Amino acid sequence: MTAILPSFVRGEWVTPTGDDGVDVRDASTGEVIARVSSKGIDLAGALDYARTVGQASLGELTFPQRAMLLKQMGQALTERKQELYELSKRAGSTVRDSGADIDGGIGVLFTYSGKGRREMPAGSVYLDGPVEPLSKDGTFIGRHIYTRLPGVAVQINAFNFPMWGALEKFAPAFLAGVPSVIKPATPTAYIAEAWVRILLETGLVPDGTLQLINGSIPGLFDHLRLGDLVAFTGSATTADRLRTHPNVQNKTVRFTSETDSINASVLGPDAVPGTPEFDAYVSQWFVELSSKAGQKCTAIRRAIVPSAVVDDVVAALRAKIDQRIVLGDPHAEGVTMGPLVSVEQRDDVLAQVARLVDAGGEVVIGDVSAPSVVKRDGTIGLAPEGAFVAPLVLRFGGSGSGSGAGSGAGAGAEPDAVHSVEAFGPVSSVIGYSSAAEAAALVARGGGSLVTSVVTHDPAFAADLLTGSAAYNGRLLFLDRDDAKTSTGHGAPVPHLVHGGPGRAGGGEELGGIRAVLHHMQRTAIQGSPDMLTALTGVWHAGASARSDGVHPFRKSLAELRVGDQFASGLRAVSLDDIETFAHFTGDTFYAHMNEEDAAANPFFPGRVAHGYLLVSWAAGLFVDPAPGPVLANYGLENLRFITPVSPDDSIRVTLTAKQISPRETDEYGEVRWDAVIHNQNDEVVAQYDVLTLVEKRVGAAAGADGGSVVERA
């Protein structure tokens, strides 16, 4: 009997016993690979283990430390990814398909590692927005912060991306400090089990932070509580069912879903045959039709093209399919497109194609008969035990009515089925349009999509589509000759940008850089004194206590420097000669610095004034300690504002306070953010800004580091 796939719960691998289980078969041959069951798995215990052991493990780590672990996990998976490539062939994935899933998933780990180290503080509290003054004297202030949720992230994944789909949920949850319980889809659960096992074998995964449950999860939602969250990817029908659970309905549990959507790709009227845009459109459509055998939630289901060129587009796509598609077992040499994940999926796709045909669709590329394929041994023939479907394109004739998202079938209108029925395989439909407004209306009739691409070199047409369809999409890709070669593609979400969509697409949002991390955290407004908010956030706030101990802050390494360490300079006079020297030396002879009459006529100046950048330069001279180390470099200013003009014969002074200290996990130095305030002789604020410096962790520590500019390495 084929072995049952184990689950990893409560710190150990557990294999269910008994005859229960679902057979998982090779997508090409029908051979049983494994059986999947969750019988006897303590689901409630897995959740409790995550909330206790997992929360404690992640709570000991800062954002950058978690980010470093994500990088090391990515490296570990990279070293063994060939095992995963080989295993994925059994699910019907070609090498190209596996690149999107396996390398894409690893890429998510690296991206969130980088963002966690660059964009998140060296602590566990994330600041959101500026300080809000709540009193005239500055003794009472407020601001918003994010802290991690105290529960567990339950992640329910689809079959088509068993690695990328799971890691794009796991990485931001881990970085936020929330443990994950991963539930993979049964047809590809053996791939999820493989990559999870690889990570666990490294010893990098903190206890309780990653659990895997293969098989069904009956009753798990009953055990969810406030502080837990669910991220679901799959069918809209299943999402609707899960969303009705009382623990979701009563707002106890956060629930986000990413579901199937009828995505569109629009060809602009300027993109006629022979243009780079026409060629890019056909190439992109071909990729989305054949990649993963069309089993992508972002695949192009509706090709919306000018009515006059429908025949040309179809002919060009047919030629590309004939030239490049070799359908067969991914183990066989030369195969470029594999089967669907299972024969059940194959049968469902063909049933949906029948619905589209019944609605008036005409099959213009391919047919529904069983195709001849390249088998594992290299022979060619029918393979009824495999889940093979050749690329199919249907045409829906006539222009749509353009009456908007709610328009139904009627005279001249496209049948609603083309905008609502999804054949989740290598199937797409082509629809003609006659105006930008009509194209946008056709896009909207999908009821909410993950992505729409617009292929045009005409900014006016692109703007019309943006205005008419952005509200119905989670992502819009504008493709033309300038970015066609570098574009990541219609169907490829990137971790830097949001993935999700309104309406039918689930109404949820994943990825999007740090936004996805914040989905696993609670935003809270905090109020108090500057000293209290400094203590709570680890960031110095104006008005909080500062310390001047006689040692210039620039003489302190990160090991010695403390938030609130401060240097206050003496006054320096500003003369008219200084202003004129700076003007002629730099070439900045703007009239406000050079002409008394013209400057006085300006509503902002009393007369000639000093250059703002002269004052900032002098401020650096006033606060800097020139000797080598431990400050290695100044690499920028942020939030610079000039507030009070400085006239000839005024004086300025500067106060510099250590505001935030962020050691870098991979270097012998870290970043220090300094609060810089320039005052005049009347104690009026002239300018304020943040100074960013790179500082050694210990005196002399960076001297032994490998060569190269510290600024470049930042």
Side-chain angles (χ1 to χ4, degrees):
M1 178 179 293
T2 305
I4 293 181
L5 205 63
S7 294
F8 186 79
V9 293
R10 304 182 70 179
E12 61 182 357
W13 288 100
V14 178
T15 301
T17 58
D19 296 331
D20 292 344
V22 176
D23 288 341
V24 177
R25 298 178 182 274
D26 186 294
S28 298
T29 67
E31 175 190 356
V32 176
I33 301 171
R35 303 179 72 223
V36 173
S37 171
S38 61
K39 184 178 180 180
I41 299 294
D42 183 0
L43 301 180
L47 298 178
D48 287 340
Y49 192 76
R51 296 187 192 109
T52 53
V53 177
Q55 280 278 338
S57 296
L58 289 172
E60 296 175 353
L61 305 173
T62 64
F63 292 123
Q65 289 170 337
R66 297 172 198 152
M68 273 305 303
L69 285 174
L70 289 177
K71 178 181 179 180
Q72 293 168 334
M73 291 177 195
Q75 291 170 333
L77 289 171
T78 299
E79 291 176 359
R80 296 180 60 179
K81 70 178 183 179
Q82 290 306 319
E83 300 172 33
L84 300 169
Y85 266 78
E86 192 64 27
L87 192 62
S88 296
K89 291 178 181 178
R90 307 206 71 176
S93 293
T94 64
V95 171
R96 182 185 67 173
D97 297 335
S98 293
D101 185 32
I102 297 168
D103 290 291
I106 293 171
V108 170
L109 294 177
F110 286 139
T111 297
Y112 274 96
S113 174
K115 285 188 168 292
R117 287 176 287 142
R118 292 191 306 269
E119 301 177 28
M120 303 197 77
S124 57
V125 175
Y126 183 86
L127 302 182
D128 177 39
V131 174
E132 299 291 344
L134 301 176
S135 65
K136 290 184 178 180
D137 64 358
T139 60
F140 186 56
I141 59 175
R143 72 182 313 168
H144 294 93
I145 63 168
Y146 279 94
T147 56
R148 65 183 179 138
L149 293 176
V152 54
V154 176
Q155 298 154 1
I156 304 172
N157 300 303
F159 67 78
N160 50 343
F161 287 96
M163 191 158 169
W164 175 86
L167 290 174
E168 60 100 4
K169 295 179 178 68
F170 169 76
F174 187 89
L175 186 53
V178 178
S180 297
V181 170
I182 296 174
K183 193 280 180 203
T186 294
T188 50
Y190 58 94
I191 299 173
E193 189 268 350
W195 71 256
V196 167
R197 187 177 291 274
I198 289 172
L199 286 187
L200 293 172
E201 288 175 354
T202 66
L204 294 169
V205 182
D207 290 344
T209 61
L210 173 59
Q211 297 181 80
L212 177 74
I213 299 176
N214 289 311
S216 60
I217 49 174
L220 183 138
F221 273 46
D222 297 335
H223 301 290
L224 297 177
R225 65 192 192 198
L226 184 64
D228 297 334
L229 65 160
V230 175
F232 171 82
T233 299
S235 72
T237 301
T238 304
D240 289 342
R241 177 172 56 81
L242 296 176
R243 196 180 279 114
T244 61
H245 191 279
N247 281 343
V248 177
Q249 288 289 302
N250 64 19
K251 312 300 183 186
T252 298
V253 176
R254 294 188 186 183
F255 182 88
T256 183
S257 64
E258 183 262 291
T259 59
D260 45 35
S261 75
I262 315 297
N263 308 295
S265 183
V266 180
L267 180 66
D270 59 303
V272 297
T275 62
E277 286 71 33
F278 182 91
D279 294 340
Y281 186 89
V282 173
S283 294
Q284 175 178 262
W285 192 10
F286 169 80
V287 169
E288 295 306 317
L289 191 64
S290 58
S291 178
K292 278 280 184 178
Q295 299 169 111
K296 294 169 59 177
C297 57
T298 53
I300 296 170
R301 301 302 176 199
R302 296 173 297 154
I304 300 173
V305 305
S307 297
V309 298
V310 169
D311 290 338
D312 296 306
V313 173
V314 171
L317 178 63
R318 182 186 295 112
K320 193 172 287 288
I321 290 172
D322 291 344
Q323 178 185 10
R324 297 179 57 180
I325 290 294
V326 178
L327 184 62
D329 188 324
H331 291 90
E333 186 176 353
V335 167
T336 60
M337 180 174 143
L340 301 180
V341 73
S342 67
V343 292
E344 292 79 11
Q345 183 65 20
R346 176 199 65 192
D347 294 344
D348 181 73
V349 166
L350 295 178
Q352 302 312 313
V353 171
R355 290 181 63 191
L356 291 169
V357 171
D358 289 344
E362 174 193 1
V363 178
V364 292
I365 294 179
D367 60 63
V368 297
S369 61
S372 290
V373 302
V374 180
K375 299 182 180 182
R376 187 166 303 184
D377 60 6
T379 60
I380 297 175
L382 298 178
E385 67 283 357
F388 296 99
V389 175
L392 284 160
V393 175
L394 298 93
R395 177 173 181 170
F396 284 79
S399 277
S401 65
S403 59
S407 60
E414 299 304 335
D416 286 340
V418 73
H419 304 293
S420 61
V421 174
E422 181 177 33
F424 200 71
V427 181
S428 187
S429 298
V430 60
I431 311 167
Y433 75 89
S434 59
S435 68
E438 183 183 1
L442 288 169
V443 170
R445 285 179 67 184
S449 299
L450 296 171
V451 57
T452 288
S453 55
V454 181
V455 185
T456 180
H457 198 52
D458 179 359
F461 180 79
D464 286 342
L465 264 292
L466 174 70
T467 301
S469 60
Y472 299 96
N473 285 273
R475 176 167 59 94
L476 290 174
L477 165 65
F478 293 93
L479 194 68
D480 65 7
R481 65 195 66 186
D482 297 330
D483 64 0
K485 291 184 178 180
T486 55
S487 167
T488 50
H490 170 103
V494 294
H496 317 72
L497 302 177
V498 295
H499 176 53
R504 177 182 175 128
E509 186 178 284
E510 298 175 335
L511 298 176
I514 298 302
R515 295 175 185 86
V517 180
L518 302 183
H519 293 166
H520 299 81
M521 307 181 78
Q522 175 63 45
R523 182 168 55 193
T524 304
I526 58 172
Q527 301 167 282
S529 68
D531 276 324
M532 182 59 72
L533 265 63
T534 295
L536 293 174
T537 64
V539 176
W540 185 82
H541 290 70
S545 301
R547 181 175 58 257
S548 298
D549 58 7
V551 179
H552 194 291
F554 275 25
R555 305 314 313 155
K556 298 180 180 181
S557 67
L558 293 189
E560 303 162 311
L561 188 68
R562 297 292 180 267
V563 166
D565 281 356
Q566 188 175 89
F567 172 81
S569 79
L571 287 167
R572 174 170 179 171
V574 181
S575 70
L576 187 60
D577 285 345
D578 293 326
I579 296 172
E580 292 189 343
T581 298
F582 188 85
H584 293 300
F585 185 76
T586 62
D588 182 358
T589 55
F590 185 64
Y591 73 88
H593 311 304
M594 306 303 294
N595 187 294
E596 181 69 25
E597 182 179 352
D598 290 341
N602 187 304
F604 300 113
F605 305 124
R608 294 177 70 178
V609 296
H611 305 70
Y613 295 111
L614 165 61
L615 303 176
V616 171
S617 298
W618 275 9
L622 289 171
F623 68 61
V624 75
D625 185 291
V631 174
L632 302 171
N634 172 342
Y635 77 100
L637 304 178
E638 289 184 353
N639 307 316
L640 174 62
R641 294 293 183 270
F642 298 114
I643 298 169
T644 303
V646 172
S647 301
D649 299 324
D650 282 350
S651 297
I652 64 166
R653 61 181 177 84
V654 63
T655 304
L656 188 76
T657 310
K659 184 175 185 178
Q660 187 173 17
I661 302 172
S662 302
R664 295 196 174 184
E665 293 296 318
T666 56
D667 297 295
E668 292 302 323
Y669 57 87
E671 175 188 303
V672 178
R673 180 179 293 266
W674 305 85
D675 180 81
V677 182
I678 302 174
H679 290 87
N680 63 17
Q681 72 279 3
N682 300 319
D683 289 334
E684 297 170 313
V685 175
V686 169
Q688 55 190 24
Y689 50 98
D690 289 349
V691 178
L692 307 179
T693 63
L694 300 177
V695 180
E696 291 178 302
K697 290 181 177 178
R698 298 171 304 281
V699 174
D706 57 339
S709 165
V710 293
V711 176
E712 291 176 355
R713 290 170 59 194

